Amino acid sequence: MNKRLTSLLFILASIMLLAGCWDRRELNDIAIVSALGIDKVDDELLVTIQVVNPGQVATVKQGGITKAPVRTFQTKARTLSEAMRKVTTFSPRAVYSSHLRMLIIGEDLAKEGMGEIVDYVVRGKEFRTDFYLSIAKNTRAENILKVLSQLETIPAHSLSSSLKLSEKSWGPIETIEINQFVNELVYKGIEPHVIGVEIIGNPEAGEKIENVEKTKADAYLKFGSVAIMRKDKLVDWLTEKESNGLHYALGKVQRAVINVPCKEKKVAIETIRTNSKIQTKVDGHQFKGTVQLHIDGSVAEVQCERMDLEKIETINLLQKKAEEKVKKDILTAIQASQKKYEVDIFGFGEALHRSHPSIWHKVKKDWHAHFKDIPVHVDVDVKLRRIGTINNSPLHEMKP
């Protein structure tokens, strides 16, 4: 009995040792995709992949730079699945997409619809869902991926890092991961929005290695405009003020600056945190929307000479002016969403779905017709928690 048990254990141990990593991929055999750009050219998809050049990345880190740290490969096909396989005909390594950082969609393709692209990247087993989605504004996605960055070795890493940092510091910017876009695409009562990226400067010069070596780049990439969608199609671009109002209403603003007037100059109030709530109420046969926003902030900069921050009246006045400023931005965004674009990007329909599902079932098919006419009340509450490391400005102490 002991011999049989010993033999069985030996066989099992041997099988475990022989199994190994049957599906492993060696680093030298794969091309790591850092960014994927997709455009529509005629009736075909133009696919651009940005892959990391490991040898050159190491050279750059050691202080030298002779070649671009990434390579771009392009191909055309009728479907994205076909295009990704077609790349292997001229790439010396197998394409590996699990480390994708950015998916860029060309503006023309976004206007026609992004649903098929989203289906592929969400369905594909090699794609994770934590990469960022962006739309190329006034250009193709291929041109975005050809611009070399200065501070980061890999352009796709530069894009994703810049996007994350901007979201934390600048109100009109918000990161959109592919899973968030899909959720808004399938949810009832809200339409998606996507951050846009554009080229500032000379695109052709941005492709050259000299663009990295200069103190001021000939071309660089900039996030800014927000694309509003109707289902999977690009409708239009929000202005900066409209984008700011949208993100405040959604409670997506982390740290931003509210400039409030003081005579001919400004007081800068930095937001510390925001908390918002969007509701849709039913009053008889009338829908009414509400946006409730609370902001905690601190005084970041005072340009006015005769402003005494030690007085409670001054703090109350600054809070009131900040509330008016943010409320105006939100109302501007709502007005544009209702009248200009007729697209519910705030989720008033989703709020109605949560609170009154039976009523939503009756109006969901023509919600846009209802949405454009509903009155929306905006309530903004700003509380200044800190006034900085000093009380009054040196300008205040200098006054006669």
Side-chain angles (χ1 to χ4, degrees):
M1 189 64 142
N2 290 335
K3 290 183 179 180
R4 289 182 179 179
L5 180 60
T6 302
S7 300
L8 179 61
L9 291 174
F10 177 78
I11 293 171
L12 290 174
S14 301
I15 293 173
M16 292 176 66
L17 291 173
L18 289 172
C21 298
W22 63 272
D23 62 343
R24 75 181 187 274
R25 295 187 180 185
E26 299 294 341
L27 186 60
N28 292 334
D29 298 330
I30 60 176
I32 299 175
V33 180
S34 57
L36 177 64
I38 308 171
D39 296 291
K40 189 68 175 292
V41 178
D42 298 325
D43 292 328
E44 291 186 307
L45 295 175
L46 174 63
V47 177
T48 306
I49 63 172
Q50 183 185 99
V51 299
V52 179
N53 185 351
Q56 190 56 34
V57 170
T59 302
V60 172
K61 289 184 177 180
Q62 294 171 5
I65 181 167
T66 56
K67 298 179 181 179
V70 293
R71 291 285 184 268
T72 57
F73 298 102
Q74 285 186 313
T75 187
K76 288 183 181 181
R78 296 300 297 268
T79 65
L80 184 54
S81 180
E82 178 187 359
M84 294 298 288
R85 284 160 177 75
K86 198 174 178 180
V87 169
T88 60
T89 61
F90 48 84
S91 171
R93 299 181 180 185
V95 174
Y96 186 67
S97 304
S98 291
H99 291 283
L100 184 70
R101 302 290 291 272
M102 295 292 306
L103 171 61
I104 311 294
I105 306 295
E107 186 172 18
D108 291 340
L109 176 58
K111 290 178 179 178
E112 290 190 20
M114 299 160 44
E116 296 173 359
I117 307 302
V118 171
D119 176 88
Y120 175 80
V121 297
V122 173
R123 189 183 300 276
K125 63 180 181 180
E126 278 198 353
F127 290 95
R128 300 187 301 192
T129 58
D130 59 350
F131 57 87
Y132 296 130
L133 174 66
S134 185
I135 296 177
K137 183 180 181 182
N138 298 326
T139 188
R140 288 182 177 179
E142 63 166 327
N143 298 328
I144 297 292
L145 296 190
K146 290 178 182 178
V147 176
L148 298 177
S149 58
Q150 288 188 310
L151 296 180
E152 289 284 346
T153 305
I154 302 172
H157 294 184
S158 177
L159 273 175
S160 61
S161 298
S162 175
L163 187 54
K164 287 188 289 186
L165 179 62
S166 298
E167 181 184 45
K168 295 178 180 179
S169 307
W170 189 239
I173 304 297
E174 177 191 0
T175 59
I176 303 292
E177 292 185 355
I178 188 65
N179 53 353
Q180 178 184 342
F181 178 80
V182 171
N183 288 339
E184 292 183 352
L185 197 61
V186 299
Y187 280 172
K188 306 300 182 183
I190 187 171
E191 299 288 5
H193 60 280
V194 182
I195 193 68
V197 59
E198 56 187 316
I199 302 174
I200 307 298
N202 184 351
E204 294 181 359
E207 301 176 19
K208 300 177 180 178
I209 199 67
E210 290 81 4
N211 191 57
V212 180
E213 298 173 334
K214 296 181 178 181
T215 56
K216 183 179 180 181
D218 292 318
Y220 61 91
L221 302 177
K222 176 181 178 293
F223 292 102
S225 302
V226 172
I228 59 172
M229 318 290 291
R230 182 175 288 114
K231 299 301 182 185
D232 65 327
K233 294 182 174 63
L234 170 64
V235 174
D236 209 334
W237 298 92
L238 295 178
T239 66
E240 184 176 286
K241 187 174 183 179
E242 293 166 353
S243 301
N244 199 49
L246 169 66
H247 291 147
Y248 268 117
L250 296 177
K252 296 296 183 66
V253 175
Q254 298 185 35
R255 289 186 175 270
V257 173
I258 308 169
N259 289 323
V260 300
C262 56
K263 295 183 179 179
E264 72 283 358
K265 296 188 178 181
K266 302 288 183 182
V267 174
I269 295 175
E270 181 183 19
T271 62
I272 300 173
R273 65 185 64 88
T274 61
N275 184 28
S276 76
K277 186 177 183 180
I278 292 178
Q279 293 179 299
T280 303
K281 301 177 181 180
V282 180
D283 184 5
H285 298 287
Q286 176 70 44
F287 299 117
K288 294 182 179 180
T290 62
V291 177
Q292 293 177 306
L293 174 65
H294 177 79
I295 300 174
D296 287 334
S298 63
V299 177
E301 180 181 354
V302 178
Q303 296 180 346
C304 307
E305 297 179 8
R306 300 181 181 275
M307 177 166 285
D308 191 350
L309 295 177
E310 295 179 343
K311 292 183 177 180
I312 188 64
E313 295 87 353
T314 304
I315 299 300
N316 289 338
L317 179 62
L318 289 176
Q319 290 177 163
K320 182 179 179 181
K321 288 185 175 180
E323 290 168 354
E324 293 172 351
K325 174 67 168 56
V326 174
K327 180 178 179 179
K328 185 177 180 180
D329 285 357
I330 294 175
L331 288 173
T332 298
I334 292 174
Q335 177 73 11
S337 179
Q338 289 183 306
K339 306 300 182 183
K340 185 178 178 181
Y341 309 118
E342 297 186 6
V343 176
D344 184 4
I345 52 177
F346 290 86
F348 288 103
E350 183 185 18
L352 179 65
H353 186 202
R354 292 195 305 267
S355 60
H356 299 83
S358 59
I359 296 177
W360 167 254
H361 183 72
K362 297 177 182 178
V363 302
K364 63 181 181 180
K365 291 184 178 180
D366 56 348
W367 171 244
H368 290 298
H370 294 280
F371 167 69
K372 66 180 182 179
D373 294 322
I374 67 172
V376 179
H377 174 73
V378 177
D379 181 33
V380 180
D381 176 46
V382 175
K383 290 290 184 273
L384 292 179
R385 303 301 183 184
R386 296 191 292 267
I387 60 172
T389 57
I390 60 174
N391 291 332
N392 285 319
S393 167
L395 296 174
H396 176 79
E397 303 300 333
M398 290 168 53
K399 71 179 182 179

